[in-house]
Amino acid sequence: MFQISKLCITISSLVTAQRHVALTAVRAIDQKWRAAKGLPENPNAFGPLTNLPDYTFLDGRTTPLGSNQKKRLIKQQETAAKIVELSSELEFAKQRHERLKSEAQAEKQRIMQNKLKPKGHLLLKKK
């Protein structure tokens, strides 16, 4: 018993505890490199690991969507619907602007045609 405790004391005196402080950046991923390559900021946000199903059936049945996969699909559909809506509003605004511009031009032309015309000897000089 005495020998075991003596061995534990000698081993514990040889092992010293060292504390290390890790100084890592908040974003360890090189964002500039990812942006230069046209990749998303978060590598786990898009790709085969997140978009494809976790498993497939051998007989060809479709696999059910994952919980986050369904949320992501709904969000993408909402974004697509918003894009279509905004692009139609933009097209309407362009057409309206062109219509107002042509109406203003037509109004200006009408005013020019309805101005007072020269009469008498001034009318005869033009011919």
PDB file of all heavy atoms in Angstrom, residues 50-70:
ATOM      1  N   THR A  50     -26.530  19.234 -47.759  1.00  0.00           N
ATOM      2  CA  THR A  50     -27.744  19.853 -47.233  1.00  0.00           C
ATOM      3  C   THR A  50     -28.927  19.693 -48.178  1.00  0.00           C
ATOM      4  O   THR A  50     -30.061  19.658 -47.731  1.00  0.00           O
ATOM      5  CB  THR A  50     -27.522  21.350 -46.976  1.00  0.00           C
ATOM      6  OG1 THR A  50     -27.048  21.952 -48.177  1.00  0.00           O
ATOM      7  CG2 THR A  50     -26.539  21.569 -45.869  1.00  0.00           C
ATOM      8  N   ASN A  51     -28.693  19.598 -49.485  1.00  0.00           N
ATOM      9  CA  ASN A  51     -29.800  19.567 -50.437  1.00  0.00           C
ATOM     10  C   ASN A  51     -30.273  18.162 -50.789  1.00  0.00           C
ATOM     11  O   ASN A  51     -31.437  17.971 -51.114  1.00  0.00           O
ATOM     12  CB  ASN A  51     -29.413  20.299 -51.726  1.00  0.00           C
ATOM     13  CG  ASN A  51     -29.215  21.772 -51.478  1.00  0.00           C
ATOM     14  OD1 ASN A  51     -29.675  22.307 -50.481  1.00  0.00           O
ATOM     15  ND2 ASN A  51     -28.513  22.426 -52.365  1.00  0.00           N
ATOM     16  N   LEU A  52     -29.405  17.197 -50.781  1.00  0.00           N
ATOM     17  CA  LEU A  52     -29.788  15.845 -51.165  1.00  0.00           C
ATOM     18  C   LEU A  52     -30.318  15.084 -49.956  1.00  0.00           C
ATOM     19  O   LEU A  52     -29.994  15.410 -48.813  1.00  0.00           O
ATOM     20  CB  LEU A  52     -28.593  15.119 -51.775  1.00  0.00           C
ATOM     21  CG  LEU A  52     -28.059  15.707 -53.074  1.00  0.00           C
ATOM     22  CD1 LEU A  52     -26.840  14.912 -53.539  1.00  0.00           C
ATOM     23  CD2 LEU A  52     -29.118  15.715 -54.150  1.00  0.00           C
ATOM     24  N   PRO A  53     -31.143  14.070 -50.180  1.00  0.00           N
ATOM     25  CA  PRO A  53     -31.660  13.294 -49.046  1.00  0.00           C
ATOM     26  C   PRO A  53     -30.549  12.496 -48.361  1.00  0.00           C
ATOM     27  O   PRO A  53     -29.509  12.215 -48.950  1.00  0.00           O
ATOM     28  CB  PRO A  53     -32.698  12.365 -49.694  1.00  0.00           C
ATOM     29  CG  PRO A  53     -32.335  12.308 -51.124  1.00  0.00           C
ATOM     30  CD  PRO A  53     -31.685  13.609 -51.455  1.00  0.00           C
ATOM     31  N   ASP A  54     -30.809  12.127 -47.120  1.00  0.00           N
ATOM     32  CA  ASP A  54     -29.820  11.381 -46.342  1.00  0.00           C
ATOM     33  C   ASP A  54     -29.689   9.939 -46.824  1.00  0.00           C
ATOM     34  O   ASP A  54     -28.653   9.315 -46.654  1.00  0.00           O
ATOM     35  CB  ASP A  54     -30.194  11.386 -44.864  1.00  0.00           C
ATOM     36  CG  ASP A  54     -30.120  12.778 -44.267  1.00  0.00           C
ATOM     37  OD1 ASP A  54     -29.379  13.606 -44.820  1.00  0.00           O
ATOM     38  OD2 ASP A  54     -30.803  13.038 -43.265  1.00  0.00           O
ATOM     39  N   TYR A  55     -30.753   9.417 -47.404  1.00  0.00           N
ATOM     40  CA  TYR A  55     -30.740   8.032 -47.871  1.00  0.00           C
ATOM     41  C   TYR A  55     -31.666   7.920 -49.075  1.00  0.00           C
ATOM     42  O   TYR A  55     -32.441   8.819 -49.362  1.00  0.00           O
ATOM     43  CB  TYR A  55     -31.200   7.082 -46.764  1.00  0.00           C
ATOM     44  CG  TYR A  55     -32.577   7.392 -46.245  1.00  0.00           C
ATOM     45  CD1 TYR A  55     -33.697   6.785 -46.802  1.00  0.00           C
ATOM     46  CD2 TYR A  55     -32.765   8.308 -45.218  1.00  0.00           C
ATOM     47  CE1 TYR A  55     -34.968   7.085 -46.348  1.00  0.00           C
ATOM     48  CE2 TYR A  55     -34.027   8.607 -44.758  1.00  0.00           C
ATOM     49  CZ  TYR A  55     -35.119   7.985 -45.321  1.00  0.00           C
ATOM     50  OH  TYR A  55     -36.372   8.284 -44.870  1.00  0.00           O
ATOM     51  N   THR A  56     -31.563   6.798 -49.782  1.00  0.00           N
ATOM     52  CA  THR A  56     -32.464   6.520 -50.901  1.00  0.00           C
ATOM     53  C   THR A  56     -32.945   5.090 -50.771  1.00  0.00           C
ATOM     54  O   THR A  56     -32.258   4.224 -50.222  1.00  0.00           O
ATOM     55  CB  THR A  56     -31.750   6.679 -52.260  1.00  0.00           C
ATOM     56  OG1 THR A  56     -30.590   5.840 -52.277  1.00  0.00           O
ATOM     57  CG2 THR A  56     -31.333   8.107 -52.512  1.00  0.00           C
ATOM     58  N   PHE A  57     -34.139   4.849 -51.286  1.00  0.00           N
ATOM     59  CA  PHE A  57     -34.670   3.501 -51.301  1.00  0.00           C
ATOM     60  C   PHE A  57     -34.161   2.792 -52.542  1.00  0.00           C
ATOM     61  O   PHE A  57     -34.067   3.383 -53.620  1.00  0.00           O
ATOM     62  CB  PHE A  57     -36.204   3.525 -51.320  1.00  0.00           C
ATOM     63  CG  PHE A  57     -36.806   4.027 -50.036  1.00  0.00           C
ATOM     64  CD1 PHE A  57     -37.436   5.255 -50.003  1.00  0.00           C
ATOM     65  CD2 PHE A  57     -36.732   3.284 -48.873  1.00  0.00           C
ATOM     66  CE1 PHE A  57     -37.993   5.731 -48.833  1.00  0.00           C
ATOM     67  CE2 PHE A  57     -37.277   3.751 -47.696  1.00  0.00           C
ATOM     68  CZ  PHE A  57     -37.913   4.977 -47.672  1.00  0.00           C
ATOM     69  N   LEU A  58     -33.837   1.505 -52.395  1.00  0.00           N
ATOM     70  CA  LEU A  58     -33.313   0.749 -53.525  1.00  0.00           C
ATOM     71  C   LEU A  58     -34.372   0.502 -54.588  1.00  0.00           C
ATOM     72  O   LEU A  58     -34.052   0.344 -55.766  1.00  0.00           O
ATOM     73  CB  LEU A  58     -32.730  -0.582 -53.042  1.00  0.00           C
ATOM     74  CG  LEU A  58     -31.484  -0.455 -52.157  1.00  0.00           C
ATOM     75  CD1 LEU A  58     -31.036  -1.823 -51.678  1.00  0.00           C
ATOM     76  CD2 LEU A  58     -30.369   0.227 -52.919  1.00  0.00           C
ATOM     77  N   ASP A  59     -35.653   0.455 -54.199  1.00  0.00           N
ATOM     78  CA  ASP A  59     -36.702   0.184 -55.181  1.00  0.00           C
ATOM     79  C   ASP A  59     -37.148   1.458 -55.913  1.00  0.00           C
ATOM     80  O   ASP A  59     -38.033   1.401 -56.756  1.00  0.00           O
ATOM     81  CB  ASP A  59     -37.897  -0.497 -54.530  1.00  0.00           C
ATOM     82  CG  ASP A  59     -38.505   0.319 -53.398  1.00  0.00           C
ATOM     83  OD1 ASP A  59     -37.987   1.399 -53.106  1.00  0.00           O
ATOM     84  OD2 ASP A  59     -39.499  -0.144 -52.819  1.00  0.00           O
ATOM     85  N   GLY A  60     -36.533   2.594 -55.642  1.00  0.00           N
ATOM     86  CA  GLY A  60     -36.808   3.813 -56.387  1.00  0.00           C
ATOM     87  C   GLY A  60     -37.867   4.723 -55.786  1.00  0.00           C
ATOM     88  O   GLY A  60     -38.217   5.739 -56.377  1.00  0.00           O
ATOM     89  N   ARG A  61     -38.414   4.366 -54.624  1.00  0.00           N
ATOM     90  CA  ARG A  61     -39.393   5.244 -53.989  1.00  0.00           C
ATOM     91  C   ARG A  61     -38.738   6.560 -53.614  1.00  0.00           C
ATOM     92  O   ARG A  61     -37.541   6.628 -53.368  1.00  0.00           O
ATOM     93  CB  ARG A  61     -39.952   4.596 -52.719  1.00  0.00           C
ATOM     94  CG  ARG A  61     -40.856   3.417 -52.966  1.00  0.00           C
ATOM     95  CD  ARG A  61     -41.385   2.877 -51.669  1.00  0.00           C
ATOM     96  NE  ARG A  61     -40.262   2.212 -50.971  1.00  0.00           N
ATOM     97  CZ  ARG A  61     -40.260   1.901 -49.694  1.00  0.00           C
ATOM     98  NH1 ARG A  61     -41.280   2.201 -48.927  1.00  0.00           N
ATOM     99  NH2 ARG A  61     -39.232   1.296 -49.160  1.00  0.00           N
ATOM    100  N   THR A  62     -39.551   7.607 -53.577  1.00  0.00           N
ATOM    101  CA  THR A  62     -39.002   8.906 -53.180  1.00  0.00           C
ATOM    102  C   THR A  62     -38.815   8.936 -51.672  1.00  0.00           C
ATOM    103  O   THR A  62     -39.611   8.380 -50.908  1.00  0.00           O
ATOM    104  CB  THR A  62     -39.937  10.051 -53.603  1.00  0.00           C
ATOM    105  OG1 THR A  62     -41.214   9.844 -53.002  1.00  0.00           O
ATOM    106  CG2 THR A  62     -40.084  10.102 -55.104  1.00  0.00           C
ATOM    107  N   THR A  63     -37.777   9.614 -51.276  1.00  0.00           N
ATOM    108  CA  THR A  63     -37.511   9.727 -49.842  1.00  0.00           C
ATOM    109  C   THR A  63     -38.220  10.957 -49.298  1.00  0.00           C
ATOM    110  O   THR A  63     -38.371  11.956 -49.997  1.00  0.00           O
ATOM    111  CB  THR A  63     -35.994   9.872 -49.590  1.00  0.00           C
ATOM    112  OG1 THR A  63     -35.511  10.975 -50.340  1.00  0.00           O
ATOM    113  CG2 THR A  63     -35.252   8.630 -49.986  1.00  0.00           C
ATOM    114  N   PRO A  64     -38.686  10.905 -48.064  1.00  0.00           N
ATOM    115  CA  PRO A  64     -39.352  12.081 -47.488  1.00  0.00           C
ATOM    116  C   PRO A  64     -38.344  13.211 -47.263  1.00  0.00           C
ATOM    117  O   PRO A  64     -37.153  12.968 -47.075  1.00  0.00           O
ATOM    118  CB  PRO A  64     -39.911  11.558 -46.162  1.00  0.00           C
ATOM    119  CG  PRO A  64     -39.085  10.374 -45.826  1.00  0.00           C
ATOM    120  CD  PRO A  64     -38.650   9.779 -47.133  1.00  0.00           C
ATOM    121  N   LEU A  65     -38.852  14.429 -47.307  1.00  0.00           N
ATOM    122  CA  LEU A  65     -37.990  15.583 -47.084  1.00  0.00           C
ATOM    123  C   LEU A  65     -37.595  15.678 -45.619  1.00  0.00           C
ATOM    124  O   LEU A  65     -38.383  15.347 -44.724  1.00  0.00           O
ATOM    125  CB  LEU A  65     -38.718  16.869 -47.490  1.00  0.00           C
ATOM    126  CG  LEU A  65     -39.076  17.004 -48.962  1.00  0.00           C
ATOM    127  CD1 LEU A  65     -39.894  18.267 -49.177  1.00  0.00           C
ATOM    128  CD2 LEU A  65     -37.843  17.036 -49.812  1.00  0.00           C
ATOM    129  N   GLY A  66     -36.399  16.165 -45.377  1.00  0.00           N
ATOM    130  CA  GLY A  66     -35.959  16.399 -44.014  1.00  0.00           C
ATOM    131  C   GLY A  66     -36.642  17.635 -43.450  1.00  0.00           C
ATOM    132  O   GLY A  66     -37.274  18.412 -44.167  1.00  0.00           O
ATOM    133  N   SER A  67     -36.506  17.843 -42.145  1.00  0.00           N
ATOM    134  CA  SER A  67     -37.191  18.968 -41.507  1.00  0.00           C
ATOM    135  C   SER A  67     -36.665  20.308 -42.033  1.00  0.00           C
ATOM    136  O   SER A  67     -37.444  21.181 -42.416  1.00  0.00           O
ATOM    137  CB  SER A  67     -37.024  18.896 -39.996  1.00  0.00           C
ATOM    138  OG  SER A  67     -35.648  18.957 -39.659  1.00  0.00           O
ATOM    139  N   ASN A  68     -35.376  20.479 -42.072  1.00  0.00           N
ATOM    140  CA  ASN A  68     -34.815  21.736 -42.574  1.00  0.00           C
ATOM    141  C   ASN A  68     -34.935  21.836 -44.087  1.00  0.00           C
ATOM    142  O   ASN A  68     -35.013  22.925 -44.628  1.00  0.00           O
ATOM    143  CB  ASN A  68     -33.356  21.881 -42.161  1.00  0.00           C
ATOM    144  CG  ASN A  68     -33.219  22.221 -40.699  1.00  0.00           C
ATOM    145  OD1 ASN A  68     -34.148  22.770 -40.101  1.00  0.00           O
ATOM    146  ND2 ASN A  68     -32.094  21.891 -40.111  1.00  0.00           N
ATOM    147  N   GLN A  69     -34.952  20.684 -44.757  1.00  0.00           N
ATOM    148  CA  GLN A  69     -35.074  20.687 -46.213  1.00  0.00           C
ATOM    149  C   GLN A  69     -36.434  21.240 -46.627  1.00  0.00           C
ATOM    150  O   GLN A  69     -36.539  22.014 -47.578  1.00  0.00           O
ATOM    151  CB  GLN A  69     -34.898  19.255 -46.724  1.00  0.00           C
ATOM    152  CG  GLN A  69     -34.391  19.144 -48.121  1.00  0.00           C
ATOM    153  CD  GLN A  69     -34.067  17.696 -48.464  1.00  0.00           C
ATOM    154  OE1 GLN A  69     -34.497  16.773 -47.781  1.00  0.00           O
ATOM    155  NE2 GLN A  69     -33.311  17.509 -49.529  1.00  0.00           N
ATOM    156  N   LYS A  70     -37.466  20.871 -45.890  1.00  0.00           N
ATOM    157  CA  LYS A  70     -38.805  21.365 -46.201  1.00  0.00           C
ATOM    158  C   LYS A  70     -38.901  22.871 -45.929  1.00  0.00           C
ATOM    159  O   LYS A  70     -39.461  23.621 -46.728  1.00  0.00           O
ATOM    160  CB  LYS A  70     -39.843  20.614 -45.369  1.00  0.00           C
ATOM    161  CG  LYS A  70     -41.248  20.897 -45.781  1.00  0.00           C
ATOM    162  CD  LYS A  70     -42.235  19.974 -45.103  1.00  0.00           C
ATOM    163  CE  LYS A  70     -43.624  20.242 -45.618  1.00  0.00           C
ATOM    164  NZ  LYS A  70     -44.588  19.296 -45.070  1.00  0.00           N
TER     165      LYS A  70
END
